[in-house]
Amino acid sequence: MTVRVNGDSSVVVVEDQKSLPFWKVLWRFTRPHTIIGSAMAIPALHLFAAPTFQAAFQPAVLRSIVFAMFPSLLMNLYITGLNQITDVDIDKVNKPQLPMASGDLSPTAANWIVSISLLVSLAWGMSHPVLGTQGLNVALWGSMLLGTLYSLPPFRLKRFPFLAAFCIVSVRGAVINAGFFAHAQAAAFGGSIATTTVWNCLCSDPRCLLSSLFFAVFGLVIALMKDVPDYTGDALFNIRSFTVRAGPKTIFHSMRRLLTTAFLAVGAIFARSAFQALSSNNNNPTLLMASRILVSASSIAAGISVHKRSNNVDPENSTQTYSYYMHLW
């Protein structure tokens, strides 16, 4: 194994993984926490977009989820892979365990992986006349465009904190949530082309707007919090992130307060709507109330967890802040 000492004097132990099979190296290259998050978002948004509880468990829903899942995970791989390709030198300081930074994956292999992932993802999204919806293609093409601008020279928007945050907030907020919500309504629940555009869903469906606003906040927290453990390498390579400009303590505490507040606010909204469910015209108001209470309780528990877990974290310790960042995912 190799022992590395970071700029903040923390010690990172990197196991020698050169003998690992390719699929294990590829799994690390995907940044599993992001690909798992994307895989969970698609079925969750289908459930959220369902007009009734019974409609959420029809065969058309599973077909829509599977069709959207494959190109979306490939696009996730393209974005995270491209970021690693363009950040090898920085990652040798901030994340030496990543496959390219550790030498487990060659630049040539990485370039082939991201290129194939991109091409197959975009082609798949347009391959079916019904399942290749406008919402799905907005999610794929929008993620590709912003992910490319974020990482690739000469744009490399990650150098500019406002633009970097905008890219992540846009993808995690409107592009993914509104895109897959619109896809679900069109491909799984039989919505017309005119009523299932991304713009129409955002403007006319409070559920789509609520999820997009919440995950825009979550995206902002992720965008800023991810740079806290990378403070040393970003400063060394003149990446003027908000953390480098304002300091890790300021960013860490402001973002954990923001996310805690967002979770508690969503919990309060669903708690209030749970009791309104009994007087609604829904066919099963008791089930509707129970589901809203469950969402409310889960959101409040998440907010408490975000706050409680942060109490023992030193914002200037990269190991502790990275562990906390992964906890948020």
Side-chain angles (χ1 to χ4, degrees):
M1 64 177 61
T2 304
V3 178
R4 302 175 187 265
V5 181
N6 286 337
D8 61 356
S9 299
S10 62
V11 176
V12 177
V13 178
V14 183
E15 296 182 2
D16 185 3
Q17 310 233 17
K18 295 186 183 300
S19 60
L20 283 177
F22 176 74
W23 70 267
K24 288 189 176 182
V25 176
L26 179 62
W27 176 242
R28 289 163 54 210
F29 188 59
T30 65
R31 303 310 308 278
H33 62 284
T34 67
I35 211 162
I36 292 171
S38 297
M40 293 176 66
I42 295 171
L45 284 164
H46 275 71
L47 291 175
F48 202 47
T52 65
F53 184 80
Q54 291 77 12
F57 299 97
Q58 298 301 313
V61 177
L62 179 60
R63 185 166 58 247
S64 174
I65 291 172
V66 172
F67 186 86
M69 185 78 71
F70 179 66
S72 301
L73 297 186
L74 287 178
M75 185 57 68
N76 193 101
L77 174 54
Y78 164 73
I79 293 171
T80 56
L82 181 64
N83 190 51
Q84 291 174 72
I85 290 171
T86 58
D87 275 0
V88 175
D89 291 334
I90 300 175
D91 287 340
K92 288 178 180 178
V93 177
N94 289 336
K95 304 180 185 77
Q97 76 278 7
L98 293 180
M100 290 194 70
S102 63
D104 292 340
L105 186 66
S106 69
T108 300
N111 286 329
W112 274 106
I113 291 169
V114 298
S115 299
I116 293 172
S117 297
L118 174 63
L119 293 175
V120 174
S121 174
L122 295 178
W124 183 277
M126 298 184 293
S127 66
H128 196 280
V130 176
L131 297 177
T133 63
Q134 188 247 27
L136 175 60
N137 281 283
V138 165
L140 295 176
W141 285 86
S143 298
M144 180 275 292
L145 177 62
L146 291 172
T148 301
L149 292 175
Y150 179 84
S151 296
L152 196 64
F155 313 104
R156 201 160 168 76
L157 297 185
K158 69 178 299 177
R159 296 174 298 167
F160 312 105
F162 284 102
L163 294 176
F166 170 78
C167 288
I168 297 176
V169 169
S170 297
V171 171
R172 288 290 164 190
V175 172
I176 287 180
N177 283 274
F180 287 124
F181 189 97
H183 168 75
Q185 291 210 326
F189 305 119
S192 67
I193 295 177
T195 61
T196 57
T197 64
V198 171
W199 180 251
N200 188 71
C201 288
L202 276 172
C203 294
S204 64
D205 196 315
R207 297 171 299 170
C208 182
L209 181 61
L210 175 64
S211 66
S212 297
L213 288 175
F214 174 80
F215 280 100
V217 174
F218 183 78
L220 177 63
V221 173
I222 290 298
L224 271 63
M225 192 69 81
K226 76 177 187 62
D227 292 330
V228 175
D230 293 346
Y231 172 78
T232 301
D234 287 349
L236 182 64
F237 287 90
N238 200 32
I239 302 295
R240 302 293 294 170
S241 65
F242 281 114
T243 301
V244 172
R245 292 168 182 257
K249 287 185 178 180
T250 299
I251 298 301
F252 179 84
H253 289 302
S254 60
M255 289 302 101
R256 60 102 174 175
R257 291 189 189 106
L258 176 60
L259 188 56
T260 299
T261 301
F263 272 123
L264 295 180
V266 169
I269 291 171
F270 273 90
R272 182 173 181 271
S273 67
F275 295 100
Q276 296 174 341
L278 290 176
S279 58
S280 70
N281 295 324
N282 190 276
N283 292 331
N284 196 335
T286 303
L287 180 61
L288 180 61
M289 182 181 73
S291 63
R292 290 179 177 178
I293 289 175
L294 178 61
V295 173
S296 173
S298 300
S299 297
I300 293 172
I304 293 172
S305 176
V306 167
H307 175 75
K308 186 176 180 180
R309 183 70 177 265
S310 68
N311 290 335
N312 298 320
V313 176
D314 177 5
E316 296 183 341
N317 184 304
S318 63
T319 302
Q320 291 182 17
T321 52
Y322 183 74
S323 176
Y324 181 74
Y325 169 73
M326 295 303 293
H327 174 69
L328 298 185
W329 275 97

